[in-house]
Structure formats: C-alpha cells, structure tokens
Amino acid sequence: MKDFYRKGWHSLVIEIICWAYFVLFGYAAFDKLFALNRFVITMGQSGMLTPYAGFLSWAVPVVELVLVLMLMVPRFRLAGLYGSLSLMTMFTTYIFIVLDVMEKELCGCGAAIEALGWGWHMVFNTVFLVMAAVGLILEKIPRNSG
C-alpha cells in the first residue's frame, strides 16, 4: 500500500490530468477542423490575429492533436505537459487581452467552451493551467525513490 501511494497516486493524478487534456484538446481540435470556415472567420475578426488567421486556423488544431498524442504516450508525456501548459498559457493570455483590451469578444474554442461566458472561461483555463503545472511537478518526482 505504501508503494502504491508513492508510485500509484502520482501516476493516477497524472493520468487524470492527461485524459482531461485529451478530452479538452481533442474536442477543441475536431470542433475547429469540422467547422473550419467558422474558425477562420472568427480568427480573422480578431484584430491582433487577423494577419495570421489562415495559418493559425490550421496550426492550432494540429498542435492540439499533437499534444493529445504526446500526452497518451508515456515517453513523450513530459513534453506534452510542457506543451499543454504553454498552449493554455497562450489561450489564457488571449482571453485576458480580449477581456481587458479588445472591444469585440471573439472565441473559436468550441461550442461547449464558448457557452461558458468569458469570466467562467478564464476560470476554466486557469484550472487547466494549474492541472498542467501539477502534472509537470508530479511527472518529475522520481517513482522509485525510497
């Protein structure tokens, strides 16, 4: 039991975090790709992203799918957690800028997430940021230490 607590507990939390990101990024990526025209238009309407809308409309879902794969393969999990933390930091920074600076509030996150509203969206992203940070900390803890 002591061994499970030391090894299994950390592994279980990491698995939960990775699966949560799997669902989040998988859903978001496929939603963007299946409604690509809507996503491109939304990206194009954002003043700061307009010049990059064409590139980002493909790059964001592809990066999300790559992160999903990385999080599911233990060998690449640490890099996937770093990537997830980075991408969520970018998304959260965008939300902060939208709420604080921009007049027009645009989101191409996916129907379910868009329905949260901006305040709850920020809370949602913050929870996922914390989860990625916890996952990184737990992933770095040696599993066979005494």
Side-chain angles (χ1 to χ4, degrees):
M1 184 67 165
K2 183 178 176 183
D3 190 47
F4 170 77
Y5 179 76
R6 191 177 326 113
K7 294 180 185 177
W9 183 83
H10 294 111
S11 296
L12 178 63
V13 172
I14 291 168
E15 285 294 323
I16 291 169
I17 291 167
C18 289
W19 278 102
Y21 267 103
F22 177 88
V23 171
L24 173 66
F25 285 159
Y27 162 76
F30 283 111
D31 186 69
K32 289 169 187 148
L33 291 172
F34 286 128
L36 190 60
N37 288 338
R38 177 182 55 91
F39 186 52
V40 171
I41 290 168
T42 301
M43 296 283 282
Q45 291 174 342
S46 173
M48 66 183 160
L49 300 178
T50 301
Y52 315 103
F55 170 74
L56 288 175
S57 62
W58 283 100
V60 171
V62 167
V63 168
E64 289 171 333
L65 291 174
V66 167
L67 288 172
V68 161
L69 294 174
M70 291 175 77
L71 291 169
M72 292 298 110
V73 178
R75 180 177 179 186
F76 301 110
R77 187 163 283 165
L78 184 63
L81 286 166
Y82 274 116
S84 298
L85 179 66
S86 299
L87 192 59
M88 284 306 291
T89 299
M90 288 183 236
F91 290 159
T92 306
T93 301
Y94 174 77
I95 292 171
F96 178 78
I97 291 169
V98 165
L99 292 175
D100 198 47
V101 177
M102 297 174 68
E103 293 178 18
K104 199 174 195 182
E105 298 176 346
L106 301 168
C107 180
C109 301
I113 298 169
E114 287 178 38
L116 290 175
W118 288 99
W120 282 109
H121 198 148
M122 185 65 98
V123 170
F124 180 87
N125 280 28
T126 302
V127 168
F128 271 86
L129 281 169
V130 169
M131 286 171 43
V134 168
L136 282 167
I137 291 166
L138 292 177
E139 188 67 26
K140 288 185 168 192
I141 294 174
R143 300 290 193 279
N144 55 0
S145 62

